[in-house]
Amino acid sequence: MGACAIAALLVVSWDQPASARQQQASNNELDLVQIRPNFYVIAGAGGNILVQVGPDGVILVDSGTTAAADKVLATIKSITPLPIRYIINTSMNPDHVGGNDKLARAGLSILPGAVAAGAGLDDDLVSNSGRASVLAHENVLTRMTAATGTEALPFALFPTKTFAYRLYSMYLNGEGIQALHMPAATTDGDLAVFFRRGDVIATGDIIDTTRWPFIDTKRGGTVQGELDALNRLMDLAILNVPIQWNPDRTFLVPGHGFVYDKLDLLEYRDAVTVVRDRVQDLIEQGKTLAQVKAADPTLGYRSQYGADSGPWTTDMFVETIFNELSKKK
């Protein structure tokens, strides 16, 4: 089933509660789509926001832009009166972390009033002053701390909890949750967040169905790291086989665009791989960057993922691949 078909399925077929349907009808700027009984996607607030609801409260993956934070909060409250407990950031991009402060302040720590006895830690550190925790990879905090000029973000948007290893695991809402570090993908701080019981993976910008993946080389992104991340997601995702008429499958919620399943991910991964291999072949023929671009290595995919204008164009994607592969010669 293709991405457009799945998107239509999610909008039309899932049995949404009245509050969710009302939110979709009343707010022309944000879309709320239920993909599982306790999983929702908020779109239109910057990057996609995954919402998981359960007895412990609300878990968010990403928080959208700062400008959209009030609308995001209102949308969450239309789903449930339970407090936000955790925000997990998949990257340091402003359209994924912009709502951190407002949404965390509206939330409630898992451990309000807790003090780590004898550990020399005060209550503010343990419980984020009673607010929801904001989790990210350590590289996200490092990049945000070092940013200056137009790239600088307010301190209030910084994560309050970080980890430096390959994954961070926790159990909330009856759900095993794993934040998986995908090193050197679109940045060096990318996370994919795997909800194991719900079989939902929030991929952040590792998948962006609206364009070629944005490889931010200034912040540690690489084409090979992106492909490694897509292959790791392929290993995690499961298709509805052998009983193909059942709706069961892994849902992948991208940073932008439509919800994917494994077949969609396969097409996306293969498109990036084919373009990379075409550029590699042209480099081996001794072609210059201008000649590589003129050969149109994205042929067959440009109409689906390409862009001739905006902050990330097809030419920029090809140039990034060319520069990375040329260094390996």
Side-chain angles (χ1 to χ4, degrees), residues 5-235:
I6 288 180
L9 169 70
L10 299 183
V11 172
V12 175
S13 299
W14 288 98
D15 184 18
Q16 297 182 352
S19 59
R21 291 196 300 268
Q22 182 178 0
Q23 178 66 22
Q24 283 185 309
S26 63
N27 192 333
N28 292 326
E29 296 185 40
L30 301 187
D31 291 320
L32 176 66
V33 180
Q34 186 176 12
I35 61 173
R36 296 270 195 249
N38 59 333
F39 285 87
Y40 301 80
V41 178
I42 299 174
N48 287 336
I49 301 171
L50 180 63
V51 183
Q52 195 252 4
V53 180
D56 298 321
V58 177
I59 313 298
L60 300 179
V61 181
D62 290 327
S63 61
T65 63
T66 301
D70 286 328
K71 293 173 183 175
V72 170
L73 183 58
T75 303
I76 294 168
K77 288 182 176 179
S78 78
I79 301 170
T80 176
L82 294 173
I84 299 168
R85 296 295 200 171
Y86 256 88
I87 302 168
I88 306 174
N89 289 148
T90 60
S91 74
M92 66 283 289
N93 295 330
D95 57 345
H96 293 273
V97 305
N100 282 357
D101 183 40
K102 181 153 286 187
L103 298 179
R105 287 177 181 275
L108 181 65
S109 170
I110 291 291
L111 300 171
V115 176
L121 303 175
D122 63 22
D123 188 63
D124 287 354
L125 179 60
V126 173
S127 70
N128 192 26
S129 303
R131 305 164 190 161
S133 295
V134 181
L135 176 70
H137 191 267
E138 186 176 75
N139 289 347
V140 168
L141 180 60
T142 300
R143 295 284 181 183
M144 293 174 75
T145 302
T148 58
T150 58
E151 295 184 350
L153 294 172
F155 173 79
L157 302 184
F158 289 13
T160 64
K161 186 173 185 176
T162 64
F163 66 100
Y165 27 95
R166 66 186 300 270
L167 64 85
Y168 181 92
S169 301
M170 57 184 170
Y171 222 103
L172 287 170
N173 289 333
E175 183 83 50
I177 305 170
Q178 293 182 308
L180 309 169
H181 182 219
M182 302 291 191
T186 69
T187 71
D188 58 12
D190 290 353
L191 294 183
V193 185
F194 184 19
F195 294 82
R196 301 204 310 182
R197 180 166 293 177
D199 202 11
V200 175
I201 305 174
T203 73
D205 284 341
I206 295 167
I207 299 177
D208 183 341
T209 77
T210 68
R211 62 182 182 178
W212 294 107
F214 173 52
I215 310 301
D216 190 343
T217 56
K218 293 181 179 179
R219 295 189 292 181
T222 66
V223 177
Q224 185 58 55
E226 168 70 10
L227 284 170
D228 291 342
L230 292 173
N231 284 322
R232 192 173 177 191
L233 291 173
M234 282 291 295
D235 291 339

